[in-house]
């Protein structure tokens, strides 16, 4: 049963209001988050909690293996709303080491529908075959693929027409790639931030498979 969750919700709401009586009243009228988080659905990677942000501060999109596929209407709707209406200044793609989605993508077995969803990860693995095979099989190789997947999704976001329109209007908008460690709760910046068309083009040239 889930009744205990309702009880936990009551306690949470009361605690928030105790600290800040106007907390919910303020949020009713508007949300003005500066960040869009694109992360994995994994229950161990809770977006707001990891960066210690309150309701109203983070716009969140999560799916299996933190993908940003250019044909996915769900992701695209979130991205468009975040950029055009909320006018977020940062889009952060957040992967995590030990991602089950990433591991499933390349385990060589058939799983059904999820195989289609995870297809972009197999493409990324194929593009970086030499680099990945130079690493020891297992954790090292999968963790590197988790990082490469994030960087590939950063590239997808940065390729998007809404992003280019915002840059064209001279708006401040940065696309970041992070990876989260389940072991210690720490995030690592993968240093693949893109803040302009020029940076996107050089990122594209640099990330082409060698
Ligand atoms: Co995951």
């Amino acid at each position: 049963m889930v009744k205990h969750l309702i009880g936990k919700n009551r306690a949470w709401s009361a605690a928030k209001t105790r600290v800040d009586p106007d907390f919910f009243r303020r949020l009713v009228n508007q949300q003005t988050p500066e960040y869009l988080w694109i992360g994995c659905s994994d229950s161990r990677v809770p977006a707001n909690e990891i960066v210690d942000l309150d309701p109203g501060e983070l716009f969140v999109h999560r799916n299996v293996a933190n993908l940003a596929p250019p044909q996915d209407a769900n992701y695209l709707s979130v991205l468009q709303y975040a950029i055009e209406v909320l006018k977020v200044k940062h889009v952060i793609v957040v992967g995590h080491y030990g991602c089950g989605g990433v591991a499933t993508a390349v385990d060589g077995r058939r799983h059904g529908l999820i195989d289609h969803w995870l297809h972009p990860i197999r493409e990324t693995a194929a593009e970086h075959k030499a680099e990945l095979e130079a690493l020891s099989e297992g954790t090292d190789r999968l963790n590197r693929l988790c990082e490469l997947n994030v960087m590939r999704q950063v590239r997808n976001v940065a390729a998007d027409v809404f992003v280019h329109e915002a840059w064209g209007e001279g708006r401040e908008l940065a696309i970041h790639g992070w990876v989260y460690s389940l072991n210690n709760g720490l995030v690592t910046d993968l240093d693949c931030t893109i803040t302009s068309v020029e940076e996107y083009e050089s990122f594209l040239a640099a990330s082409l498979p060698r």
Side-chain angles (χ1 to χ4, degrees):
M1 298 304 282
V2 293
K3 221 175 162 187
H4 67 290
L5 295 182
I6 305 282
K8 283 169 80 74
N9 163 258
R10 296 292 183 272
W12 171 79
S13 169
K16 277 279 177 209
T17 315
R18 222 172 9 252
V19 177
D20 179 358
D22 282 329
F23 184 77
F24 293 106
R25 259 194 297 272
R26 269 201 318 275
L27 283 179
V28 165
N29 296 320
Q30 60 167 345
Q31 58 163 343
T32 53
E34 285 192 18
Y35 317 95
L36 164 62
W37 173 288
I38 299 174
C40 185
S41 296
D42 194 305
S43 65
R44 299 165 294 178
V45 194
N48 283 64
E49 210 169 321
I50 286 172
V51 283
D52 198 18
L53 287 181
D54 266 326
E57 294 186 304
L58 193 64
F59 199 59
V60 174
H61 179 70
R62 290 169 69 181
N63 59 42
V64 174
N66 44 271
L67 295 177
Q71 309 83 1
D72 179 31
N74 183 357
Y75 147 70
L76 286 175
S77 303
V78 169
L79 184 68
Q80 180 180 15
Y81 189 75
I83 291 173
E84 291 187 357
V85 181
L86 297 174
K87 302 201 184 304
V88 298
K89 292 193 174 75
H90 303 273
V91 178
I92 315 170
V93 178
V94 188
H96 66 102
Y97 295 124
C99 182
V102 170
T104 300
V106 293
D107 70 3
R109 295 204 295 266
R110 298 270 310 263
H111 307 275
L113 178 63
I114 192 79
D115 293 326
H116 296 277
W117 175 253
L118 297 173
H119 182 74
I121 299 175
R122 283 193 294 281
E123 284 187 330
T124 300
E127 279 172 14
H128 297 269
K129 194 168 187 278
E131 181 190 343
L132 290 166
E133 284 181 352
L135 298 168
S136 61
E137 202 181 340
T139 311
D140 285 356
R141 198 177 289 179
L142 283 173
N143 283 348
R144 181 57 183 156
L145 183 54
C146 290
E147 295 178 349
L148 292 169
N149 179 44
V150 169
M151 291 186 256
R152 188 64 180 78
Q153 305 317 309
V154 166
R155 194 172 113 189
N156 281 0
V157 176
D160 192 88
V161 63
F162 308 123
V163 172
H164 283 248
E165 274 172 14
W167 283 335
E169 290 164 9
R171 277 176 46 200
E172 183 192 330
L173 178 63
I175 323 298
H176 311 263
W178 292 359
V179 64
Y180 174 78
S181 173
L182 299 172
N183 294 325
N184 56 16
L186 296 177
V187 141
T188 304
D189 189 337
L190 290 174
D191 234 352
C192 56
T193 302
I194 305 178
T195 65
S196 65
V197 177
E198 294 71 31
E199 281 180 17
Y200 166 65
E201 281 166 358
S202 56
F203 184 77
L204 202 61
S207 61
L208 287 175
R210 277 168 287 242

